[in-house]
Amino acid sequence: MNKTAIHLIIWTFVLIVAQALVFNHVCLFGYAVPFVFLYTLVKLPLTLSKEWLFTIGFFVGLTIDIFSDTLGMNALACTLSVALRQQVIRLYVARDNELTDPYPGIRSLGLYTFIKYTLTFTFVYCCLIFFIDSLSVVGILNAIIRIISSTILTTLLIVGLDSITSRKSEKRL
């Protein structure tokens, strides 16, 4: 196991605990829910096999379900989100050889591309989780507002986390 993998495992644990203890109880203006644990799914290496990707996505979602008492909704949403992750990254990065690092982040993708990638991935997750939660079209306007506000809030938090946790590749003199 390399240093980055250990770093990602530690961040996964910390963010799941933070999600369970703090962020599950935050709902800005009655709509925006931050899903900071998605940072671990966003940062998974692009070279990871599909089997490992699905397994990690499922168990991260299942862990959130256990703490949130959501009966498998997060496990389903996380698994489906990571299934679409490769297509989302290919929307913004034309070739795999353009990436300098297999871990997507601000340093490897650039700020603008990372924001677009995170925004799209978070939007997919929020659509899945809120439509699974409602399972009807009665409150469609409420669901759309929750999706948009949660996507924006979560994207801002993930970009902030990545800017804090990214290591500088250049040494200062």
PDB file of all heavy atoms in Angstrom, residues 26-63:
ATOM      1  N   VAL A  26     -27.071  18.731   9.529  1.00  0.00           N
ATOM      2  CA  VAL A  26     -27.043  20.064   8.933  1.00  0.00           C
ATOM      3  C   VAL A  26     -27.969  20.062   7.717  1.00  0.00           C
ATOM      4  O   VAL A  26     -27.894  19.181   6.870  1.00  0.00           O
ATOM      5  CB  VAL A  26     -25.611  20.442   8.485  1.00  0.00           C
ATOM      6  CG1 VAL A  26     -25.603  21.738   7.715  1.00  0.00           C
ATOM      7  CG2 VAL A  26     -24.675  20.511   9.678  1.00  0.00           C
ATOM      8  N   CYS A  27     -28.839  21.047   7.679  1.00  0.00           N
ATOM      9  CA  CYS A  27     -29.729  21.221   6.529  1.00  0.00           C
ATOM     10  C   CYS A  27     -29.953  22.718   6.370  1.00  0.00           C
ATOM     11  O   CYS A  27     -30.810  23.301   7.039  1.00  0.00           O
ATOM     12  CB  CYS A  27     -31.043  20.472   6.742  1.00  0.00           C
ATOM     13  SG  CYS A  27     -32.100  20.461   5.294  1.00  0.00           S
ATOM     14  N   LEU A  28     -29.164  23.335   5.509  1.00  0.00           N
ATOM     15  CA  LEU A  28     -29.236  24.786   5.342  1.00  0.00           C
ATOM     16  C   LEU A  28     -30.530  25.194   4.647  1.00  0.00           C
ATOM     17  O   LEU A  28     -30.866  24.665   3.584  1.00  0.00           O
ATOM     18  CB  LEU A  28     -28.038  25.284   4.543  1.00  0.00           C
ATOM     19  CG  LEU A  28     -26.675  25.120   5.196  1.00  0.00           C
ATOM     20  CD1 LEU A  28     -25.580  25.619   4.277  1.00  0.00           C
ATOM     21  CD2 LEU A  28     -26.623  25.842   6.521  1.00  0.00           C
ATOM     22  N   PHE A  29     -31.234  26.114   5.253  1.00  0.00           N
ATOM     23  CA  PHE A  29     -32.485  26.662   4.729  1.00  0.00           C
ATOM     24  C   PHE A  29     -33.537  25.585   4.460  1.00  0.00           C
ATOM     25  O   PHE A  29     -34.432  25.774   3.645  1.00  0.00           O
ATOM     26  CB  PHE A  29     -32.228  27.475   3.457  1.00  0.00           C
ATOM     27  CG  PHE A  29     -31.149  28.500   3.620  1.00  0.00           C
ATOM     28  CD1 PHE A  29     -29.953  28.378   2.951  1.00  0.00           C
ATOM     29  CD2 PHE A  29     -31.327  29.583   4.477  1.00  0.00           C
ATOM     30  CE1 PHE A  29     -28.947  29.316   3.108  1.00  0.00           C
ATOM     31  CE2 PHE A  29     -30.332  30.524   4.638  1.00  0.00           C
ATOM     32  CZ  PHE A  29     -29.136  30.393   3.954  1.00  0.00           C
ATOM     33  N   GLY A  30     -33.399  24.438   5.104  1.00  0.00           N
ATOM     34  CA  GLY A  30     -34.356  23.364   4.929  1.00  0.00           C
ATOM     35  C   GLY A  30     -34.171  22.551   3.661  1.00  0.00           C
ATOM     36  O   GLY A  30     -34.965  21.668   3.372  1.00  0.00           O
ATOM     37  N   TYR A  31     -33.122  22.834   2.891  1.00  0.00           N
ATOM     38  CA  TYR A  31     -32.929  22.147   1.616  1.00  0.00           C
ATOM     39  C   TYR A  31     -31.538  21.552   1.439  1.00  0.00           C
ATOM     40  O   TYR A  31     -31.393  20.406   1.044  1.00  0.00           O
ATOM     41  CB  TYR A  31     -33.204  23.094   0.436  1.00  0.00           C
ATOM     42  CG  TYR A  31     -34.637  23.509   0.325  1.00  0.00           C
ATOM     43  CD1 TYR A  31     -35.038  24.792   0.692  1.00  0.00           C
ATOM     44  CD2 TYR A  31     -35.597  22.626  -0.134  1.00  0.00           C
ATOM     45  CE1 TYR A  31     -36.362  25.181   0.593  1.00  0.00           C
ATOM     46  CE2 TYR A  31     -36.929  23.001  -0.235  1.00  0.00           C
ATOM     47  CZ  TYR A  31     -37.300  24.282   0.121  1.00  0.00           C
ATOM     48  OH  TYR A  31     -38.605  24.653   0.035  1.00  0.00           O
ATOM     49  N   ALA A  32     -30.496  22.336   1.661  1.00  0.00           N
ATOM     50  CA  ALA A  32     -29.131  21.948   1.313  1.00  0.00           C
ATOM     51  C   ALA A  32     -28.520  21.044   2.378  1.00  0.00           C
ATOM     52  O   ALA A  32     -28.348  21.445   3.526  1.00  0.00           O
ATOM     53  CB  ALA A  32     -28.258  23.181   1.125  1.00  0.00           C
ATOM     54  N   VAL A  33     -28.202  19.827   1.980  1.00  0.00           N
ATOM     55  CA  VAL A  33     -27.567  18.854   2.865  1.00  0.00           C
ATOM     56  C   VAL A  33     -26.147  18.603   2.351  1.00  0.00           C
ATOM     57  O   VAL A  33     -25.975  18.230   1.186  1.00  0.00           O
ATOM     58  CB  VAL A  33     -28.355  17.522   2.886  1.00  0.00           C
ATOM     59  CG1 VAL A  33     -27.680  16.518   3.786  1.00  0.00           C
ATOM     60  CG2 VAL A  33     -29.790  17.758   3.295  1.00  0.00           C
ATOM     61  N   PRO A  34     -25.123  18.801   3.184  1.00  0.00           N
ATOM     62  CA  PRO A  34     -23.757  18.536   2.718  1.00  0.00           C
ATOM     63  C   PRO A  34     -23.418  17.050   2.815  1.00  0.00           C
ATOM     64  O   PRO A  34     -23.636  16.420   3.841  1.00  0.00           O
ATOM     65  CB  PRO A  34     -22.891  19.360   3.683  1.00  0.00           C
ATOM     66  CG  PRO A  34     -23.719  19.473   4.919  1.00  0.00           C
ATOM     67  CD  PRO A  34     -25.157  19.422   4.488  1.00  0.00           C
ATOM     68  N   PHE A  35     -22.894  16.503   1.735  1.00  0.00           N
ATOM     69  CA  PHE A  35     -22.459  15.105   1.697  1.00  0.00           C
ATOM     70  C   PHE A  35     -20.940  15.080   1.543  1.00  0.00           C
ATOM     71  O   PHE A  35     -20.415  14.749   0.472  1.00  0.00           O
ATOM     72  CB  PHE A  35     -23.125  14.368   0.532  1.00  0.00           C
ATOM     73  CG  PHE A  35     -24.617  14.309   0.612  1.00  0.00           C
ATOM     74  CD1 PHE A  35     -25.402  15.053  -0.257  1.00  0.00           C
ATOM     75  CD2 PHE A  35     -25.242  13.526   1.557  1.00  0.00           C
ATOM     76  CE1 PHE A  35     -26.778  14.994  -0.188  1.00  0.00           C
ATOM     77  CE2 PHE A  35     -26.624  13.467   1.641  1.00  0.00           C
ATOM     78  CZ  PHE A  35     -27.390  14.206   0.760  1.00  0.00           C
ATOM     79  N   VAL A  36     -20.217  15.395   2.618  1.00  0.00           N
ATOM     80  CA  VAL A  36     -18.762  15.499   2.527  1.00  0.00           C
ATOM     81  C   VAL A  36     -18.078  14.155   2.306  1.00  0.00           C
ATOM     82  O   VAL A  36     -16.965  14.103   1.797  1.00  0.00           O
ATOM     83  CB  VAL A  36     -18.155  16.196   3.762  1.00  0.00           C
ATOM     84  CG1 VAL A  36     -18.594  17.637   3.835  1.00  0.00           C
ATOM     85  CG2 VAL A  36     -18.492  15.459   5.030  1.00  0.00           C
ATOM     86  N   PHE A  37     -18.724  13.056   2.660  1.00  0.00           N
ATOM     87  CA  PHE A  37     -18.104  11.746   2.471  1.00  0.00           C
ATOM     88  C   PHE A  37     -17.890  11.428   0.991  1.00  0.00           C
ATOM     89  O   PHE A  37     -17.088  10.557   0.654  1.00  0.00           O
ATOM     90  CB  PHE A  37     -18.942  10.642   3.136  1.00  0.00           C
ATOM     91  CG  PHE A  37     -20.224  10.336   2.422  1.00  0.00           C
ATOM     92  CD1 PHE A  37     -20.257   9.332   1.473  1.00  0.00           C
ATOM     93  CD2 PHE A  37     -21.365  11.048   2.697  1.00  0.00           C
ATOM     94  CE1 PHE A  37     -21.439   9.042   0.806  1.00  0.00           C
ATOM     95  CE2 PHE A  37     -22.549  10.769   2.045  1.00  0.00           C
ATOM     96  CZ  PHE A  37     -22.581   9.761   1.087  1.00  0.00           C
ATOM     97  N   LEU A  38     -18.564  12.153   0.096  1.00  0.00           N
ATOM     98  CA  LEU A  38     -18.375  11.934  -1.336  1.00  0.00           C
ATOM     99  C   LEU A  38     -16.953  12.266  -1.777  1.00  0.00           C
ATOM    100  O   LEU A  38     -16.514  11.807  -2.836  1.00  0.00           O
ATOM    101  CB  LEU A  38     -19.379  12.756  -2.140  1.00  0.00           C
ATOM    102  CG  LEU A  38     -20.823  12.308  -2.088  1.00  0.00           C
ATOM    103  CD1 LEU A  38     -21.694  13.246  -2.913  1.00  0.00           C
ATOM    104  CD2 LEU A  38     -20.983  10.884  -2.543  1.00  0.00           C
ATOM    105  N   TYR A  39     -16.255  13.044  -0.971  1.00  0.00           N
ATOM    106  CA  TYR A  39     -14.864  13.380  -1.295  1.00  0.00           C
ATOM    107  C   TYR A  39     -14.025  12.119  -1.484  1.00  0.00           C
ATOM    108  O   TYR A  39     -13.187  12.061  -2.369  1.00  0.00           O
ATOM    109  CB  TYR A  39     -14.272  14.266  -0.192  1.00  0.00           C
ATOM    110  CG  TYR A  39     -12.834  14.637  -0.406  1.00  0.00           C
ATOM    111  CD1 TYR A  39     -12.474  15.495  -1.432  1.00  0.00           C
ATOM    112  CD2 TYR A  39     -11.828  14.131   0.417  1.00  0.00           C
ATOM    113  CE1 TYR A  39     -11.154  15.852  -1.628  1.00  0.00           C
ATOM    114  CE2 TYR A  39     -10.509  14.484   0.224  1.00  0.00           C
ATOM    115  CZ  TYR A  39     -10.174  15.339  -0.798  1.00  0.00           C
ATOM    116  OH  TYR A  39      -8.865  15.684  -1.009  1.00  0.00           O
ATOM    117  N   THR A  40     -14.275  11.107  -0.680  1.00  0.00           N
ATOM    118  CA  THR A  40     -13.504   9.869  -0.805  1.00  0.00           C
ATOM    119  C   THR A  40     -13.808   9.154  -2.116  1.00  0.00           C
ATOM    120  O   THR A  40     -12.914   8.548  -2.707  1.00  0.00           O
ATOM    121  CB  THR A  40     -13.772   8.919   0.370  1.00  0.00           C
ATOM    122  OG1 THR A  40     -15.148   8.580   0.408  1.00  0.00           O
ATOM    123  CG2 THR A  40     -13.376   9.554   1.680  1.00  0.00           C
ATOM    124  N   LEU A  41     -15.041   9.217  -2.580  1.00  0.00           N
ATOM    125  CA  LEU A  41     -15.392   8.582  -3.849  1.00  0.00           C
ATOM    126  C   LEU A  41     -14.865   9.384  -5.035  1.00  0.00           C
ATOM    127  O   LEU A  41     -14.474   8.820  -6.052  1.00  0.00           O
ATOM    128  CB  LEU A  41     -16.901   8.398  -3.957  1.00  0.00           C
ATOM    129  CG  LEU A  41     -17.549   7.537  -2.871  1.00  0.00           C
ATOM    130  CD1 LEU A  41     -19.057   7.476  -3.069  1.00  0.00           C
ATOM    131  CD2 LEU A  41     -16.944   6.147  -2.844  1.00  0.00           C
ATOM    132  N   VAL A  42     -14.845  10.701  -4.890  1.00  0.00           N
ATOM    133  CA  VAL A  42     -14.309  11.565  -5.940  1.00  0.00           C
ATOM    134  C   VAL A  42     -12.804  11.349  -6.093  1.00  0.00           C
ATOM    135  O   VAL A  42     -12.277  11.341  -7.213  1.00  0.00           O
ATOM    136  CB  VAL A  42     -14.618  13.048  -5.614  1.00  0.00           C
ATOM    137  CG1 VAL A  42     -13.802  13.997  -6.466  1.00  0.00           C
ATOM    138  CG2 VAL A  42     -16.101  13.320  -5.774  1.00  0.00           C
ATOM    139  N   LYS A  43     -12.109  11.123  -4.981  1.00  0.00           N
ATOM    140  CA  LYS A  43     -10.648  11.005  -4.994  1.00  0.00           C
ATOM    141  C   LYS A  43     -10.124   9.596  -5.270  1.00  0.00           C
ATOM    142  O   LYS A  43      -8.919   9.405  -5.335  1.00  0.00           O
ATOM    143  CB  LYS A  43     -10.084  11.480  -3.646  1.00  0.00           C
ATOM    144  CG  LYS A  43     -10.170  12.966  -3.431  1.00  0.00           C
ATOM    145  CD  LYS A  43      -9.298  13.720  -4.384  1.00  0.00           C
ATOM    146  CE  LYS A  43      -7.853  13.634  -3.954  1.00  0.00           C
ATOM    147  NZ  LYS A  43      -6.971  14.483  -4.720  1.00  0.00           N
ATOM    148  N   LEU A  44     -10.992   8.609  -5.428  1.00  0.00           N
ATOM    149  CA  LEU A  44     -10.505   7.261  -5.719  1.00  0.00           C
ATOM    150  C   LEU A  44      -9.693   7.272  -7.011  1.00  0.00           C
ATOM    151  O   LEU A  44     -10.040   7.986  -7.956  1.00  0.00           O
ATOM    152  CB  LEU A  44     -11.680   6.284  -5.849  1.00  0.00           C
ATOM    153  CG  LEU A  44     -12.384   5.922  -4.560  1.00  0.00           C
ATOM    154  CD1 LEU A  44     -13.620   5.073  -4.857  1.00  0.00           C
ATOM    155  CD2 LEU A  44     -11.460   5.181  -3.624  1.00  0.00           C
ATOM    156  N   PRO A  45      -8.612   6.485  -7.070  1.00  0.00           N
ATOM    157  CA  PRO A  45      -7.764   6.513  -8.261  1.00  0.00           C
ATOM    158  C   PRO A  45      -8.507   6.049  -9.509  1.00  0.00           C
ATOM    159  O   PRO A  45      -9.359   5.157  -9.454  1.00  0.00           O
ATOM    160  CB  PRO A  45      -6.611   5.572  -7.912  1.00  0.00           C
ATOM    161  CG  PRO A  45      -7.048   4.805  -6.735  1.00  0.00           C
ATOM    162  CD  PRO A  45      -8.125   5.565  -6.059  1.00  0.00           C
ATOM    163  N   LEU A  46      -8.167   6.658 -10.623  1.00  0.00           N
ATOM    164  CA  LEU A  46      -8.796   6.308 -11.888  1.00  0.00           C
ATOM    165  C   LEU A  46      -8.329   4.949 -12.402  1.00  0.00           C
ATOM    166  O   LEU A  46      -8.968   4.365 -13.260  1.00  0.00           O
ATOM    167  CB  LEU A  46      -8.492   7.394 -12.927  1.00  0.00           C
ATOM    168  CG  LEU A  46      -9.025   8.774 -12.570  1.00  0.00           C
ATOM    169  CD1 LEU A  46      -8.502   9.810 -13.545  1.00  0.00           C
ATOM    170  CD2 LEU A  46     -10.527   8.769 -12.514  1.00  0.00           C
ATOM    171  N   THR A  47      -7.231   4.448 -11.855  1.00  0.00           N
ATOM    172  CA  THR A  47      -6.699   3.146 -12.269  1.00  0.00           C
ATOM    173  C   THR A  47      -7.304   1.991 -11.486  1.00  0.00           C
ATOM    174  O   THR A  47      -6.967   0.839 -11.735  1.00  0.00           O
ATOM    175  CB  THR A  47      -5.173   3.134 -12.091  1.00  0.00           C
ATOM    176  OG1 THR A  47      -4.866   3.457 -10.729  1.00  0.00           O
ATOM    177  CG2 THR A  47      -4.518   4.140 -13.016  1.00  0.00           C
ATOM    178  N   LEU A  48      -8.191   2.275 -10.564  1.00  0.00           N
ATOM    179  CA  LEU A  48      -8.815   1.254  -9.729  1.00  0.00           C
ATOM    180  C   LEU A  48      -9.759   0.402 -10.576  1.00  0.00           C
ATOM    181  O   LEU A  48     -10.514   0.936 -11.396  1.00  0.00           O
ATOM    182  CB  LEU A  48      -9.586   1.934  -8.598  1.00  0.00           C
ATOM    183  CG  LEU A  48      -9.939   1.134  -7.368  1.00  0.00           C
ATOM    184  CD1 LEU A  48      -8.681   0.628  -6.677  1.00  0.00           C
ATOM    185  CD2 LEU A  48     -10.743   1.967  -6.407  1.00  0.00           C
ATOM    186  N   SER A  49      -9.736  -0.908 -10.367  1.00  0.00           N
ATOM    187  CA  SER A  49     -10.605  -1.799 -11.150  1.00  0.00           C
ATOM    188  C   SER A  49     -12.065  -1.566 -10.768  1.00  0.00           C
ATOM    189  O   SER A  49     -12.379  -1.098  -9.674  1.00  0.00           O
ATOM    190  CB  SER A  49     -10.223  -3.253 -10.907  1.00  0.00           C
ATOM    191  OG  SER A  49     -10.585  -3.647  -9.600  1.00  0.00           O
ATOM    192  N   LYS A  50     -12.965  -1.946 -11.679  1.00  0.00           N
ATOM    193  CA  LYS A  50     -14.397  -1.738 -11.441  1.00  0.00           C
ATOM    194  C   LYS A  50     -14.882  -2.516 -10.228  1.00  0.00           C
ATOM    195  O   LYS A  50     -15.745  -2.051  -9.492  1.00  0.00           O
ATOM    196  CB  LYS A  50     -15.197  -2.137 -12.676  1.00  0.00           C
ATOM    197  CG  LYS A  50     -15.058  -1.180 -13.802  1.00  0.00           C
ATOM    198  CD  LYS A  50     -15.944  -1.564 -14.960  1.00  0.00           C
ATOM    199  CE  LYS A  50     -15.756  -0.558 -16.084  1.00  0.00           C
ATOM    200  NZ  LYS A  50     -16.641  -0.830 -17.203  1.00  0.00           N
ATOM    201  N   GLU A  51     -14.330  -3.709 -10.026  1.00  0.00           N
ATOM    202  CA  GLU A  51     -14.751  -4.516  -8.876  1.00  0.00           C
ATOM    203  C   GLU A  51     -14.455  -3.798  -7.566  1.00  0.00           C
ATOM    204  O   GLU A  51     -15.286  -3.729  -6.680  1.00  0.00           O
ATOM    205  CB  GLU A  51     -14.067  -5.889  -8.891  1.00  0.00           C
ATOM    206  CG  GLU A  51     -14.481  -6.781 -10.042  1.00  0.00           C
ATOM    207  CD  GLU A  51     -13.730  -6.496 -11.340  1.00  0.00           C
ATOM    208  OE1 GLU A  51     -12.710  -5.754 -11.318  1.00  0.00           O
ATOM    209  OE2 GLU A  51     -14.166  -7.003 -12.374  1.00  0.00           O
ATOM    210  N   TRP A  52     -13.229  -3.260  -7.452  1.00  0.00           N
ATOM    211  CA  TRP A  52     -12.858  -2.531  -6.240  1.00  0.00           C
ATOM    212  C   TRP A  52     -13.650  -1.241  -6.113  1.00  0.00           C
ATOM    213  O   TRP A  52     -14.052  -0.848  -5.014  1.00  0.00           O
ATOM    214  CB  TRP A  52     -11.364  -2.228  -6.227  1.00  0.00           C
ATOM    215  CG  TRP A  52     -10.560  -3.364  -5.719  1.00  0.00           C
ATOM    216  CD1 TRP A  52      -9.740  -4.182  -6.436  1.00  0.00           C
ATOM    217  CD2 TRP A  52     -10.505  -3.838  -4.370  1.00  0.00           C
ATOM    218  NE1 TRP A  52      -9.186  -5.128  -5.619  1.00  0.00           N
ATOM    219  CE2 TRP A  52      -9.641  -4.941  -4.341  1.00  0.00           C
ATOM    220  CE3 TRP A  52     -11.116  -3.442  -3.187  1.00  0.00           C
ATOM    221  CZ2 TRP A  52      -9.360  -5.638  -3.176  1.00  0.00           C
ATOM    222  CZ3 TRP A  52     -10.839  -4.134  -2.026  1.00  0.00           C
ATOM    223  CH2 TRP A  52      -9.968  -5.221  -2.036  1.00  0.00           C
ATOM    224  N   LEU A  53     -13.878  -0.582  -7.230  1.00  0.00           N
ATOM    225  CA  LEU A  53     -14.641   0.665  -7.220  1.00  0.00           C
ATOM    226  C   LEU A  53     -16.058   0.438  -6.711  1.00  0.00           C
ATOM    227  O   LEU A  53     -16.542   1.163  -5.838  1.00  0.00           O
ATOM    228  CB  LEU A  53     -14.658   1.257  -8.632  1.00  0.00           C
ATOM    229  CG  LEU A  53     -15.089   2.686  -8.792  1.00  0.00           C
ATOM    230  CD1 LEU A  53     -14.119   3.610  -8.083  1.00  0.00           C
ATOM    231  CD2 LEU A  53     -15.158   3.044 -10.260  1.00  0.00           C
ATOM    232  N   PHE A  54     -16.726  -0.587  -7.227  1.00  0.00           N
ATOM    233  CA  PHE A  54     -18.083  -0.903  -6.779  1.00  0.00           C
ATOM    234  C   PHE A  54     -18.100  -1.334  -5.320  1.00  0.00           C
ATOM    235  O   PHE A  54     -18.996  -0.967  -4.563  1.00  0.00           O
ATOM    236  CB  PHE A  54     -18.705  -1.994  -7.636  1.00  0.00           C
ATOM    237  CG  PHE A  54     -18.985  -1.575  -9.052  1.00  0.00           C
ATOM    238  CD1 PHE A  54     -19.070  -2.514 -10.050  1.00  0.00           C
ATOM    239  CD2 PHE A  54     -19.170  -0.248  -9.396  1.00  0.00           C
ATOM    240  CE1 PHE A  54     -19.332  -2.147 -11.356  1.00  0.00           C
ATOM    241  CE2 PHE A  54     -19.427   0.133 -10.695  1.00  0.00           C
ATOM    242  CZ  PHE A  54     -19.511  -0.823 -11.685  1.00  0.00           C
ATOM    243  N   THR A  55     -17.099  -2.121  -4.917  1.00  0.00           N
ATOM    244  CA  THR A  55     -17.036  -2.599  -3.535  1.00  0.00           C
ATOM    245  C   THR A  55     -16.849  -1.438  -2.565  1.00  0.00           C
ATOM    246  O   THR A  55     -17.550  -1.338  -1.546  1.00  0.00           O
ATOM    247  CB  THR A  55     -15.895  -3.620  -3.368  1.00  0.00           C
ATOM    248  OG1 THR A  55     -16.103  -4.686  -4.293  1.00  0.00           O
ATOM    249  CG2 THR A  55     -15.836  -4.162  -1.964  1.00  0.00           C
ATOM    250  N   ILE A  56     -15.921  -0.559  -2.879  1.00  0.00           N
ATOM    251  CA  ILE A  56     -15.665   0.597  -2.020  1.00  0.00           C
ATOM    252  C   ILE A  56     -16.889   1.510  -1.978  1.00  0.00           C
ATOM    253  O   ILE A  56     -17.312   1.958  -0.906  1.00  0.00           O
ATOM    254  CB  ILE A  56     -14.411   1.360  -2.483  1.00  0.00           C
ATOM    255  CG1 ILE A  56     -13.163   0.502  -2.250  1.00  0.00           C
ATOM    256  CG2 ILE A  56     -14.284   2.708  -1.769  1.00  0.00           C
ATOM    257  CD1 ILE A  56     -11.914   1.032  -2.911  1.00  0.00           C
ATOM    258  N   GLY A  57     -17.478   1.786  -3.143  1.00  0.00           N
ATOM    259  CA  GLY A  57     -18.669   2.628  -3.193  1.00  0.00           C
ATOM    260  C   GLY A  57     -19.812   2.046  -2.374  1.00  0.00           C
ATOM    261  O   GLY A  57     -20.484   2.756  -1.624  1.00  0.00           O
ATOM    262  N   PHE A  58     -20.021   0.737  -2.497  1.00  0.00           N
ATOM    263  CA  PHE A  58     -21.092   0.086  -1.750  1.00  0.00           C
ATOM    264  C   PHE A  58     -20.844   0.169  -0.252  1.00  0.00           C
ATOM    265  O   PHE A  58     -21.747   0.523   0.511  1.00  0.00           O
ATOM    266  CB  PHE A  58     -21.240  -1.376  -2.185  1.00  0.00           C
ATOM    267  CG  PHE A  58     -22.243  -2.136  -1.364  1.00  0.00           C
ATOM    268  CD1 PHE A  58     -23.597  -1.961  -1.579  1.00  0.00           C
ATOM    269  CD2 PHE A  58     -21.824  -3.001  -0.363  1.00  0.00           C
ATOM    270  CE1 PHE A  58     -24.532  -2.646  -0.815  1.00  0.00           C
ATOM    271  CE2 PHE A  58     -22.743  -3.693   0.404  1.00  0.00           C
ATOM    272  CZ  PHE A  58     -24.104  -3.516   0.176  1.00  0.00           C
ATOM    273  N   PHE A  59     -19.625  -0.156   0.188  1.00  0.00           N
ATOM    274  CA  PHE A  59     -19.365  -0.171   1.625  1.00  0.00           C
ATOM    275  C   PHE A  59     -19.320   1.228   2.239  1.00  0.00           C
ATOM    276  O   PHE A  59     -19.720   1.405   3.398  1.00  0.00           O
ATOM    277  CB  PHE A  59     -18.098  -0.968   1.950  1.00  0.00           C
ATOM    278  CG  PHE A  59     -18.348  -2.440   1.944  1.00  0.00           C
ATOM    279  CD1 PHE A  59     -17.783  -3.254   0.979  1.00  0.00           C
ATOM    280  CD2 PHE A  59     -19.179  -3.020   2.891  1.00  0.00           C
ATOM    281  CE1 PHE A  59     -18.035  -4.610   0.955  1.00  0.00           C
ATOM    282  CE2 PHE A  59     -19.436  -4.377   2.881  1.00  0.00           C
ATOM    283  CZ  PHE A  59     -18.873  -5.179   1.911  1.00  0.00           C
ATOM    284  N   VAL A  60     -18.879   2.222   1.496  1.00  0.00           N
ATOM    285  CA  VAL A  60     -18.950   3.600   2.000  1.00  0.00           C
ATOM    286  C   VAL A  60     -20.416   3.996   2.166  1.00  0.00           C
ATOM    287  O   VAL A  60     -20.821   4.535   3.202  1.00  0.00           O
ATOM    288  CB  VAL A  60     -18.201   4.582   1.067  1.00  0.00           C
ATOM    289  CG1 VAL A  60     -18.549   6.021   1.387  1.00  0.00           C
ATOM    290  CG2 VAL A  60     -16.696   4.376   1.169  1.00  0.00           C
ATOM    291  N   GLY A  61     -21.233   3.705   1.157  1.00  0.00           N
ATOM    292  CA  GLY A  61     -22.660   4.008   1.248  1.00  0.00           C
ATOM    293  C   GLY A  61     -23.351   3.231   2.348  1.00  0.00           C
ATOM    294  O   GLY A  61     -24.193   3.766   3.074  1.00  0.00           O
ATOM    295  N   LEU A  62     -22.989   1.952   2.503  1.00  0.00           N
ATOM    296  CA  LEU A  62     -23.587   1.125   3.548  1.00  0.00           C
ATOM    297  C   LEU A  62     -23.224   1.641   4.939  1.00  0.00           C
ATOM    298  O   LEU A  62     -24.069   1.665   5.846  1.00  0.00           O
ATOM    299  CB  LEU A  62     -23.147  -0.327   3.393  1.00  0.00           C
ATOM    300  CG  LEU A  62     -23.779  -1.335   4.345  1.00  0.00           C
ATOM    301  CD1 LEU A  62     -25.278  -1.411   4.107  1.00  0.00           C
ATOM    302  CD2 LEU A  62     -23.130  -2.696   4.158  1.00  0.00           C
ATOM    303  N   THR A  63     -21.989   2.083   5.097  1.00  0.00           N
ATOM    304  CA  THR A  63     -21.567   2.641   6.380  1.00  0.00           C
ATOM    305  C   THR A  63     -22.363   3.905   6.709  1.00  0.00           C
ATOM    306  O   THR A  63     -22.817   4.095   7.845  1.00  0.00           O
ATOM    307  CB  THR A  63     -20.056   2.947   6.366  1.00  0.00           C
ATOM    308  OG1 THR A  63     -19.350   1.777   5.972  1.00  0.00           O
ATOM    309  CG2 THR A  63     -19.574   3.398   7.719  1.00  0.00           C
TER     310      THR A  63
END
